């Protein structure tokens, strides 16, 4: 029951194009620009058509037409994905959800946001904040990503250490199934256990089981204060050991991020302070809560960092300084992307106790496979972004061997090959390294049940 191969999809003929035009109207048909052929990975696929419906009934009609003519449909949000999930691997229609009935309603009585999928993540966070509420998930690409894309990939971010990932905030959904039916899942309440949890099945399914057309999201009160500190370390494993020491001392910060020196070199011009000498790694730690509590806690965390070997502590307390620092942190992957001929973003996650061991073995992998690995990410939850690069575009085979070796190591450490970016098209060949044949068979069975003709986002997740 493999997903259908390219030859099993029909091309988008002039007649189909005309019918799609009748469904979405002239304004709903977009030019196939470069942007729709790529995302933030280095993969590239050419769609035959790009549409941006304004209404849910148009999405439903498009899916019915796709079943009738068997052409592929690939949902797309902000296109910031790092796994090629929104790319038209089998051609067909790219379905942009950006223009779908834009709604971002904050219900401050019930602490719920009702949003359509094309809302940009940062805009939702700002809308909640304006009403004294907090939507915690903060993927670093939040100025580019949509809330639909975040739910489809179960996006994480720095704050997920304390607050959990996107899935922990999706109470319910409306979704157009591959067949064109519209289903409502979950609840508009903070609890609900009626039937199988369809919401959580759709969240993280990378646009392969349904098109998310509305989301009901949990909000929480906005923490009144945030305090931050930056700790510089002379070696990377030492910094990672400080992460476990911070947590071991009873602290649960709202972020513990790190950047190694290769990343810092790339974004030095954006930092709100000169880079300390002999710095191999910076830890960025933030706590949130009441003003007195965060001041006391950050002081205590500073002491832990010093005891763990930090050779310099810096602060970025003012709002502009913090903004500058986070902007630098968010810019890292884009600068790495632009700096190398080959760039593959892996977002492995290991148990907290294994992060220091993982970063210790990276130089050996760099040497053996002739790679340059930039490491940064969400140290607090063991989610290490390994940005694997090579300067020569003919080196791809060696790069892939290096990646497979690193992933094997991660799995030996009881880790996972992807903590938040998903499998998409980029990592599907590695799926059997982590999942058993029985698990893959079951998951393909679910896909078949939702999408008997295999037309929604084909070529993703399964090898
Ligand atoms: C600078 C940068 C930093 C990043 N940092 C993080 C990070 O900290 N944490 C993190 O998790 N990710 C991060 N990412 C990756 C990316 O931002 C996330 O994966 C994000 O959730 C993708 O959202 P998007 O709207 O851009 O989705 P897209 O890239 O457009 O699509 C991603 C997947 O979602 C599906 N999809 C999109 N919209 C819908 C919909 N409405 N219904 C069904 N399926 C849909 C697509 O088919 C595809 O499979 C980062 C990316 C960049 C460029």
């Amino acid at each position: 029951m493999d997903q259908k191969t390219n030859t099993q999809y029909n091309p988008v003929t002039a007649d189909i194009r005309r019918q799609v035009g009748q469904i979405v109207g002239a304004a709903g048909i977009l030019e196939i620009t470069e942007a729709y052929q790529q995302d933030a990975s280095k993969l590239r696929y050419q769609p035959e058509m790009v549409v941006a419906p304004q209404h849910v009934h148009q999405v439903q009609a498009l899916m019915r037409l796709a079943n009738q003519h068997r052409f592929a449909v690939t949902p797309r949000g902000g296109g910031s994905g790092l796994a090629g999930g929104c790319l038209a691997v089998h051609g067909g229609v790219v379905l942009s959800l950006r223009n779908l009935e834009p709604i971002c309603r904050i219900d401050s009585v019930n602490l719920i946001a009702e949003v359509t999928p094309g809302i940009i993540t940062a805009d939702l966070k700002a809308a909640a904040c304006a009403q004294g509420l907090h939507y915690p998930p903060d993927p670093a690409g939040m100025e580019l990503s949509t809330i639909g894309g975040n739910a489809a990939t179960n996006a994480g971010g720095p704050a997920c250490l304390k607050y959990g990932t996107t899935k922990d905030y999706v109470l319910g959904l409306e979704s157009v199934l591959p067949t064109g039916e519209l289903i409502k899942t979950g609840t508009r309440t903070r609890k609900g256990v009626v039937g199988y949890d369809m919401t959580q099945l759709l969240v993280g399914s990378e646009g392969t089981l349904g098109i998310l057309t509305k989301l009901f999201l949990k909000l929480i009160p906005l923490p009144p204060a945030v305090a931050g500190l930056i700790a510089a370390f002379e070696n990377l494993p030492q910094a990672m050991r400080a992460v476990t020491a911070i947590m071991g001392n009873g602290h649960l910060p709202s972020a513990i991020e790190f950047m190694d020196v290769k990343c810092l070199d790339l974004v030095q011009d954006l930092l709100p302070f000169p880079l300390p000498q002999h710095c191999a790694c910076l830890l960025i730690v933030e706590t949130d809560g009441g003003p007195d509590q965060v001041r006391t806690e950050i002081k205590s965390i500073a002491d832990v960092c010093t005891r763990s070997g930090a050779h310099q502590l810096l602060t970025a307390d003012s709002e502009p300084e913090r903004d500058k620092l986070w902007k630098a942190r968010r810019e890292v992957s884009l600068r790495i992307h632009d700096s190398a001929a080959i760039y593959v973003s892996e977002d492995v996650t290991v148990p907290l106790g294994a992060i220091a061991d993982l970063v210790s073995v990276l130089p050996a992998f760099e040497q053996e496979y002739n790679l340059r690995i930039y490491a940064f990410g969400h140290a607090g939850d063991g989610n290490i972004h390994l940005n694997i690069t090579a300067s020569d575009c003919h080196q791809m085979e060696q790069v892939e061997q290096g990646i497979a070796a690193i992933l094997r190591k991660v799995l030996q450490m009881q880790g996972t090959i992807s903590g938040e970016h998903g499998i998409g098209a980029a990592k599907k060949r590695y799926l059997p390294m982590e999942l058993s044949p029985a698990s893959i068979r079951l998951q393909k069975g679910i896909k078949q049940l939702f999408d008997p003709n295999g037309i929604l986002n084909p070529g993703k997740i399964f090898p």
Side-chain angles (χ1 to χ4, degrees), residues 39-40 74-82 85-86 97 117 138-141 144-146 148-150 152-158 206-207 210-212 329-330 333-334 378 385 420-421 457:
D39 63 358
T74 304
R76 182 181 175 100
S80 70
L82 287 156
C86 67
L97 279 313
D138 55 351
L144 308 168
S145 70
T146 62
N150 287 175
T153 55
N154 185 19
E206 301 191 45
I211 299 149
L212 312 181
R329 160 64 188 86
R330 289 188 195 115
S333 66
L334 299 174
H378 316 308
H385 294 319
E420 58 184 23
H421 295 161
N457 213 355

Side-chain angles (χ1 to χ4, degrees), residues 172-194:
L173 293 168
E174 289 180 14
S175 174
V176 173
L177 298 181
T179 52
E181 290 161 286
L182 179 69
I183 59 162
K184 296 184 180 192
T185 74
T187 59
R188 314 297 170 253
T189 56
R190 293 176 106 73
K191 277 175 145 181
V193 287
V194 178

Side-chain angles (χ1 to χ4, degrees), residues 38-41 73-87 95-98 100 116-121 138-158 160 165-166 174-176 202 205-215 257 329-335 337 343 345 347 376-378 383 385 419-422 424-425 456-457 460-461:
Q38 45 197 324
D39 63 358
S41 68
V73 177
T74 304
R76 182 181 175 100
S80 70
L82 287 156
C86 67
L87 301 183
L95 169 61
S96 167
L97 279 313
R98 287 301 307 279
L100 195 72
T116 40
I119 300 297
I120 294 292
T121 316
D138 55 351
M142 66 181 162
E143 274 155 22
L144 308 168
S145 70
T146 62
I147 207 70
N150 287 175
T153 55
N154 185 19
C160 296
T165 57
T166 302
E174 289 180 14
S175 174
V176 173
L202 286 164
S205 66
E206 301 191 45
T208 61
L209 298 181
I211 299 149
L212 312 181
T213 52
K214 194 176 275 185
L215 302 94
E257 297 285 299
R329 160 64 188 86
R330 289 188 195 115
E331 188 73 16
V332 172
S333 66
L334 299 174
R335 293 223 171 158
H337 176 285
Y343 159 76
S345 157
D347 74 312
F376 70 92
H378 316 308
N383 189 190
H385 294 319
E420 58 184 23
H421 295 161
L456 185 64
N457 213 355
K460 307 295 159 58
I461 302 182

Side-chain angles (χ1 to χ4, degrees), residues 51-131:
V51 300
Q54 292 181 321
H55 304 289
V56 174
H57 68 83
Q58 296 172 331
V59 178
Q60 293 182 266
L62 176 72
M63 294 317 294
R64 284 194 290 266
L65 189 72
N67 275 291
Q68 196 185 332
H69 295 283
R70 306 240 167 150
F71 59 84
V73 177
T74 304
R76 182 181 175 100
S80 70
L82 287 156
C86 67
L87 301 183
V89 169
H90 288 287
V93 175
V94 162
L95 169 61
S96 167
L97 279 313
R98 287 301 307 279
N99 298 344
L100 195 72
E101 294 166 1
I103 297 172
C104 184
R105 216 170 272 141
I106 306 295
D107 172 350
S108 55
V109 174
N110 294 306
L111 274 63
I112 285 176
E114 177 185 346
V115 281
T116 40
I119 300 297
I120 294 292
T121 316
D123 293 344
L124 166 66
K125 287 176 75 71
C129 182
Q131 301 212 28

